[in-house]
Amino acid sequence: MAKERSCMQKLCCLATIVLVLVVASVLAWYFVYFAKDVEPQVGYCGGCHCIPDNSTSCPNTAPSRTTFSKEIIDAWKSQTAINPYTLDCNPFEDGTYCDTEPPLDSELLRLGDTAVCAVHYERSAVTSDNNQLCESQAYRLQTYPSWEEAEAAGGFVTHTGHCGVCSTMQDLAVYAEFLLPTSPGNFCRRQAVQSLENGIACYRGLGMTQDCARIWSDTSWNTATNCFTSCVIDPTLPQFGGEDDEEPQEQDNGTSTLIELNATHSEISMESSTNTDSACELSECLQCDEEVSAPLFERYAGRSRRRSGLLSTTAFPCSRFPYIVQDPCPLTIPLE
C-alpha cells in the first residue's frame, strides 16, 4: 500500500511539473509574441507604393488620399448596409461547411480581384457642390464580374473581389482610421489569442461590425498558430507588441492619426512582415501568412486594405493594387 501511495505521489508530482512547464511555455510564447512595439511604417518597394511588375517604373496608382477627416470617417460609420453579409462559423476550422449569409457566389469568387464589390445608395443622387457627406444613408452591396459592369449598373466600386463581411462602409471607416502600427490592433491580437470572444469584443471596440470582427479574430489566431516558426520563434525577427493601449489621437487639422490594424491576413503589422530590401520580395513570415490565412480571409471578409486601395505596411505587386478614390458620398443609382 505504501509503495502504491509513493508511486501515485510521484505521478502527481510529475504531472504537476509537466503542467507547470506547459503553462510557463504558453505564457512565454504569449509575451514574446507581443513583446515589442512596432514603429509606424508604410511598406514601399524602392520608393514605390507597390512592387512594379516586370518594370522599373512605378505606376500612377498610389492613393490620392492617405488620410481621412473625422467628418468623412463619421459619415461612413453612420451609413447602414441593407444587405450585409453575416458569418456564424469559423472558415479555418469548418472548411467547406462554412459560408456567409447571403451565400458567396462561387462563380464570382473564381474571378478573384477581377470581380468587384460596389455600393448603391438608396437616396437620390446629390450634386458635388452640395458638400454633403451622405450621413445616415442606407445602401446595398452588390458583387459584379468586373469594374465596368459595376459602373454601368450605377454602382460605386468600394473594393476589388467579392463582397464579404467586411465590405460595409462602417468597416471601411475603421480601415481608414487605423492605418499605421500602434497599440489598438496589437491589443486586439492579444485578446484574440486568449479567446475568440475576447478578440471579437476588442475588434468591435475599434468600430468593426460584428461579423468583420469575427473573421479578424479567427484570422489572428490562425496566423499566430500556423506561422509560429517564421513570425515568432526566429530571434532575428522583430515581434508583435505594444503595451500602450491609448485611443487614437486627432491631429490639429482634423484628420485622424494613422494607425494600423495588426493581424490583417496578408498585412501583418510587424517589421518582419514587410518586404525585403533588395528584391522587394515578401518575407518568410508574410509568405507564410499569405499561404495559410490570406485566401480564406479575403474570401469571407471581402474587403482588405490592399483591395480597398489603401496603403499598408506591405508593398504588394502593382498588378494587385487597385486605384480607388474612396468617396463618402459617391453618385450611384439605387438597385431595384
Side-chain angles (χ1 to χ4, degrees), residues 161-197:
H162 201 298
C163 296
V165 297
C166 295
S167 297
T168 70
M169 298 300 100
Q170 180 178 334
D171 293 309
L172 172 60
V174 177
Y175 282 40
E177 186 174 12
F178 298 91
L179 295 183
L180 296 175
T182 195
S183 55
N186 284 330
F187 180 73
C188 290
R189 175 185 280 277
R190 293 197 297 272
Q191 296 299 304
V193 169
Q194 292 182 54
S195 74
L196 173 65
E197 292 73 19

Side-chain angles (χ1 to χ4, degrees), residues 16-280:
T16 302
I17 293 173
V18 171
L19 179 61
V20 170
L21 289 175
V22 169
V23 172
S25 298
V26 171
L27 289 175
W29 166 60
Y30 180 77
F31 287 108
V32 167
Y33 191 66
F34 301 109
K36 300 178 181 179
D37 288 317
V38 180
E39 294 298 322
Q41 169 179 333
V42 171
Y44 285 97
C45 173
C48 184
H49 65 284
C50 58
I51 303 174
D53 302 279
N54 302 320
S55 172
T56 57
S57 61
C58 183
N60 188 28
T61 57
S64 58
R65 175 187 289 164
T66 56
T67 61
F68 297 87
S69 67
K70 184 178 184 300
E71 290 73 22
I72 290 178
I73 290 174
D74 288 344
W76 277 326
K77 289 180 179 179
S78 72
Q79 296 169 2
T80 304
I82 298 173
N83 60 335
Y85 286 77
T86 60
L87 184 69
D88 62 359
C89 53
N90 184 339
F92 298 101
E93 296 180 354
D94 302 328
T96 57
Y97 295 101
C98 185
D99 201 355
T100 62
E101 181 59 43
L104 300 171
D105 187 311
S106 58
E107 293 297 323
L108 293 174
L109 283 172
R110 291 192 187 96
L111 296 176
D113 286 356
T114 299
V116 297
C117 180
V119 294
H120 292 263
Y121 285 90
E122 293 293 288
R123 57 157 175 75
S124 300
V126 296
T127 56
S128 58
D129 57 359
N130 282 348
N131 195 31
Q132 297 185 40
L133 292 176
C134 299
E135 292 185 358
S136 303
Q137 291 291 337
Y139 62 90
R140 295 180 187 273
L141 296 168
Q142 182 68 40
T143 305
Y144 291 94
S146 68
W147 200 302
E148 293 74 19
E149 291 182 61
E151 292 186 337
F156 175 81
V157 175
T158 185
H159 69 76
T160 57
H162 201 298
C163 296
V165 297
C166 295
S167 297
T168 70
M169 298 300 100
Q170 180 178 334
D171 293 309
L172 172 60
V174 177
Y175 282 40
E177 186 174 12
F178 298 91
L179 295 183
L180 296 175
T182 195
S183 55
N186 284 330
F187 180 73
C188 290
R189 175 185 280 277
R190 293 197 297 272
Q191 296 299 304
V193 169
Q194 292 182 54
S195 74
L196 173 65
E197 292 73 19
N198 287 352
I200 291 176
C202 187
Y203 285 121
R204 285 282 287 152
L206 294 182
M208 288 184 179
T209 58
Q210 174 71 22
D211 298 283
C212 184
R214 176 176 184 127
I215 190 63
W216 272 69
S217 189
D218 288 338
T219 305
S220 297
W221 172 254
N222 188 69
T223 298
T225 54
N226 287 285
C227 298
F228 184 88
T229 301
S230 58
C231 295
V232 181
I233 292 181
D234 189 338
T236 65
L237 301 179
Q239 307 298 329
F240 297 86
E243 296 302 324
D244 177 17
D245 300 318
E246 298 178 356
E247 292 296 319
Q249 303 295 317
E250 288 185 15
Q251 299 173 348
D252 295 337
N253 61 4
T255 60
S256 298
T257 302
L258 303 184
I259 313 170
E260 164 76 335
L261 290 169
N262 297 308
T264 75
H265 66 100
S266 55
E267 300 148 3
I268 304 178
S269 298
M270 56 189 290
E271 292 179 12
S272 64
S273 67
T274 57
N275 309 80
T276 56
D277 296 331
S278 59
C280 297

